[in-house]
């Protein structure tokens, strides 16, 4: 195998990064036993666009992506051919409100360090994963890629959104300056709200679906008569199963450049990845409660912030390229709840 054929997945232990690894390993690939915990060899037998590759990963303990010198040394040593930039500091409304400095600083540093080091070490293909929060709070629905930078952001997650917008513009800037001379082809995908295996179920710092799963599960175990949900329950949100997001990421990464260029613009190159439908938070709470088997009532604390009134992605650009989501919300919630139960058992046994 050529040493040059390496895919680096930054953030491989996170929900999205681990799903991307699963996707790469499931594409009719032969998986050779890893040399160690962080590297596995895969050989594609089905796609000409996916020749033999080595998957390269690093834990945070092994590589601090906010450390510029460390990131540059890693890229110089490993020399990956492709990079999936899924590493990020993420969290829900409470976490974004509580730690705004950490959210903007850490995400800016990770993105700048990885993208620049990739370029300096000759990486021509990189995929940056952003977020739907890049769009204005009151953007027209569904939110098209053209809505970027057309109005004020949602205040509760503005620092995180600013960092993600910077990531898009970093990719576009390197493409514009070095696309012709160095073959740079850095792409960006903007997922809607994600959930599924590997999610963070922290009681305060998690996103809405894992937070609801934990809350309803604990209420079920405690026989609590009522579960109280933040906000009015009226905001509408779109949710995408994380393995669908991983499939979309690999799909976009491997699109022929002329095909991608025909559907994007040099300074509006990002692509939305959504499920295609949204529901109210109240409807979501009822669905999660049903999945968990909670029998009590649900109240809404209107003194807590709602966030944006609606966030539905316009995914027509991606759909026109040939990709659509496959996993229904009910099926995804069932798998997510099983993942929560498995993670709780591992925690009780003292396993990571």
């Amino acid at each position: 195998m050529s040493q040059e054929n390496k895919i680096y997945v930054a953030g491989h232990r996170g929900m999205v990064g681990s799903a991307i690894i699963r996707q790469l390993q499931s594409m009719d690939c032969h998986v050779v036993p890893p040399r160690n915990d962080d590297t596995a060899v895969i050989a594609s037998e089905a796609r000409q666009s996916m020749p033999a590759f080595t998957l390269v990963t690093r834990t945070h303990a092994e590589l601090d992506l906010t450390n510029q010198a460390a990131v540059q040394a890693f890229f110089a040593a490993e020399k990956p051919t492709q990079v999936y930039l899924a590493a990020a500091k993420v969290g829900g409304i409470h976490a974004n409100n509580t730690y705004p400095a950490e959210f903007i600083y850490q995400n800016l540093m990770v993105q700048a360090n990885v993208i620049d080091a990739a370029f300096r070490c000759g990486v021509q293909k990189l995929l940056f994963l952003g977020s739907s929060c890049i769009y204005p709070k009151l953007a027209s629905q569904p939110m098209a890629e053209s809505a970027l930078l057309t109005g004020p952001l949602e205040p509760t997650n503005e620092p995180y959104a600013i960092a993600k917008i910077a990531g898009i513009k970093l990719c576009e800037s390197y493409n514009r300056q070095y696309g012709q001379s160095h073959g740079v082809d850095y792409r960006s995908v903007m997922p809607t709200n994600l959930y599924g295996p590997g999610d963070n179920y922290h009681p305060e710092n998690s996103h809405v679906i894992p937070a609801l799963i934990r809350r309803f599960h604990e209420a079920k175990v405690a026989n609590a008569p009522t579960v109280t949900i933040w906000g009015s329950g009226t905001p509408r949100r779109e949710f995408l199963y994380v393995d669908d997001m991983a499939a979309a990421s690999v799909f976009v990464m491997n699109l022929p450049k002329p095909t991608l260029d025909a559907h994007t613009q040099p300074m509006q190159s990002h692509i939305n990845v959504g499920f295609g439908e949204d529901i109210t938070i109240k409807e979501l709470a009822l669905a999660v409660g049903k999945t968990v088997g909670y029998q009590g009532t649900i109240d809404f604390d209107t003194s807590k912030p709602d966030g944006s009134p609606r966030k539905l992605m316009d995914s027509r650009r991606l759909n026109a390229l040939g990709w659509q989501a496959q996993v229904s919300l009910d099926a995804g919630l069932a798998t997510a709840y099983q993942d929560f139960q498995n993670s709780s058992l591992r925690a009780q046994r003292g396993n990571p």
Side-chain angles (χ1 to χ4, degrees):
M1 176 181 296
S2 170
Q3 174 142 4
E4 288 76 29
N5 292 332
K6 293 183 178 180
I7 298 178
Y8 170 46
V9 181
H12 75 288
R13 284 189 167 180
M15 178 174 64
V16 181
S18 59
I20 289 172
I21 295 238
R22 288 195 298 272
Q23 178 68 20
L24 290 170
Q25 292 178 337
S26 71
M27 296 168 58
D28 296 320
C29 294
H30 173 61
V31 181
V32 178
R35 295 196 299 268
N36 55 51
D37 289 341
D38 293 313
T39 305
V41 179
I42 62 173
S44 174
E45 299 172 351
R47 285 195 173 191
Q48 292 182 354
S49 60
M50 291 292 294
F53 276 101
T54 302
L55 286 179
V56 179
T57 61
R58 291 293 186 274
T59 64
H60 177 72
E62 294 168 329
L63 177 62
D64 179 0
L65 295 178
T66 66
N67 184 322
Q68 184 182 55
V71 174
Q72 289 180 349
F74 162 76
F75 271 86
E78 289 294 339
K79 297 181 173 60
T81 313
Q82 294 185 13
V83 175
Y84 287 86
L85 181 41
K89 180 174 179 62
V90 298
I93 291 177
H94 175 80
N96 276 270
N97 261 336
T98 306
Y99 311 110
E102 293 179 23
F103 272 84
I104 191 167
Y105 173 78
Q106 292 187 23
N107 284 298
L108 282 172
M109 292 298 291
V110 166
Q111 296 161 190
N113 289 342
V114 171
I115 292 170
D116 185 67
F119 165 70
R120 292 181 184 277
C121 292
V123 175
Q124 293 184 320
K125 296 199 69 176
L126 178 147
L127 188 77
F128 170 68
L129 281 80
S131 168
S132 62
C133 71
I134 63 169
Y135 295 117
K137 177 178 181 177
L138 299 179
S140 298
Q141 302 291 321
M143 298 180 292
E145 288 87 352
S146 59
L148 183 64
L149 299 176
T150 60
L153 300 164
E154 162 58 42
T156 55
N157 59 16
E158 182 188 75
Y160 178 74
I162 290 291
K164 288 300 181 181
I165 292 170
I168 298 171
K169 295 306 175 182
L170 273 168
C171 290
E172 290 180 348
S173 297
Y174 279 79
N175 288 342
R176 291 168 60 201
Q177 187 167 346
Y178 300 114
Q180 291 293 328
S181 60
H182 291 71
V184 168
D185 182 7
Y186 294 172
R187 306 176 179 187
S188 299
V189 285
M190 300 298 116
T192 189
N193 300 288
L194 301 175
Y195 71 99
D199 214 336
N200 170 24
Y201 300 97
H202 190 278
E204 293 181 342
N205 297 335
S206 57
H207 286 105
V208 60
I209 283 184
L212 288 176
I213 286 175
R214 181 183 184 117
R215 196 170 303 173
F216 278 112
H217 175 81
E218 291 176 346
K220 173 186 172 183
V221 171
N223 253 348
T226 303
V227 169
T228 301
I229 308 299
W230 270 32
S232 65
T234 58
R236 302 187 68 88
R237 292 292 183 269
E238 178 185 28
F239 299 97
L240 181 71
Y241 188 64
V242 70
D243 285 71
D244 271 344
M245 180 60 205
S249 298
V250 175
F251 175 83
V252 171
M253 175 70 101
N254 290 285
L255 279 171
K257 192 173 187 304
T259 301
L260 183 72
D261 289 347
H263 288 79
T264 60
Q265 302 170 24
M267 296 182 68
Q268 194 187 102
S269 62
H270 60 288
I271 297 177
N272 289 344
V273 185
F275 180 70
E277 300 175 7
D278 60 359
I279 62 173
T280 66
I281 295 299
K282 180 178 181 180
E283 291 169 333
L284 174 66
L286 291 170
V288 173
K290 179 180 178 182
T291 298
V292 171
Y294 176 69
Q295 301 294 320
T297 60
I298 303 173
D299 290 337
F300 292 88
D301 183 356
T302 56
S303 70
K304 301 297 184 182
D306 271 336
S308 300
R310 191 183 189 196
K311 288 176 66 176
L312 176 64
M313 302 285 266
D314 184 343
S315 298
R316 286 178 294 179
R317 176 177 289 181
L318 181 59
N319 298 156
L321 286 163
W323 186 91
Q324 285 194 316
Q326 301 295 315
V327 181
S328 70
L329 182 63
D330 286 344
L333 286 177
T335 305
Y337 181 46
Q338 185 62 56
D339 178 66
F340 168 77
Q341 293 175 298
N342 292 340
S343 66
S344 297
L345 286 174
R346 289 194 299 270
Q348 292 171 11
R349 294 168 181 166
N351 296 326

